[in-house]
Amino acid sequence: MTTTDDFSEFDYPYPILHVCIEPGYTDEDGTRIPARVISSTAVAGHLQDVSAREILRAPEGMYLSGDRRFHTSTPLAEDSLLKITEPNGDVTSWTIVGCESAVHTLFFPVRYTYLIRRQ
């Protein structure tokens, strides 16, 4: 029998933190209001490097060398930030460029695929 189990066996084994940021702006008096963190939440998902073949075959500028995909069941906002703990223990920052797909199935939760780019 198929269960509603997510894809946790494929998930990245190190911590990933999703950081929602309110962008900075200039108010009507001309005062610069800096960006601020709204929330930080741990998320689970699978990381995949964008291959050189995909970069060469895609329209120019769609992918850059070093881009990754993040597959997760958690809906995430474009332009928010992922802080990923790498296997060597370093924490890297990645911007969510956009949602490439959202797969809906009868037996599993929605699985989103985000293109992420290192800051």
Side-chain angles (χ1 to χ4, degrees), residues 85-106:
T85 303
E86 301 294 338
N88 67 359
D90 291 346
V91 177
T92 56
S93 296
W94 298 77
T95 301
I96 298 174
V97 175
C99 184
E100 290 191 324
S101 67
V103 177
H104 303 266
T105 65
L106 185 59

Side-chain angles (χ1 to χ4, degrees), residues 102-116:
V103 177
H104 303 266
T105 65
L106 185 59
F107 300 107
F108 296 104
V110 176
R111 192 71 168 177
Y112 301 96
T113 299
Y114 297 98
L115 176 63
I116 61 174

Side-chain angles (χ1 to χ4, degrees), residues 9 17 19 28-29 33 37 42 47 54 61 74 95 107 114:
E9 66 186 77
L17 190 65
V19 181
E28 56 277 347
D29 297 331
I33 308 299
V37 173
L47 285 173
E54 290 173 299
T74 306
T95 301
F107 300 107
Y114 297 98

Side-chain angles (χ1 to χ4, degrees), residues 30-76:
T31 305
R32 180 72 185 148
I33 308 299
R36 68 182 180 97
V37 173
I38 297 172
S39 65
S40 296
T41 310
V43 293
H46 174 73
L47 285 173
Q48 173 188 16
D49 293 332
V50 174
S51 71
R53 176 178 281 167
E54 290 173 299
I55 293 170
L56 291 173
R57 291 186 175 181
E60 187 174 344
M62 182 173 181
Y63 300 120
L64 301 178
S65 180
D67 284 355
R68 286 176 164 174
R69 287 191 181 91
F70 181 57
H71 308 277
T72 183
S73 297
T74 306
L76 304 173

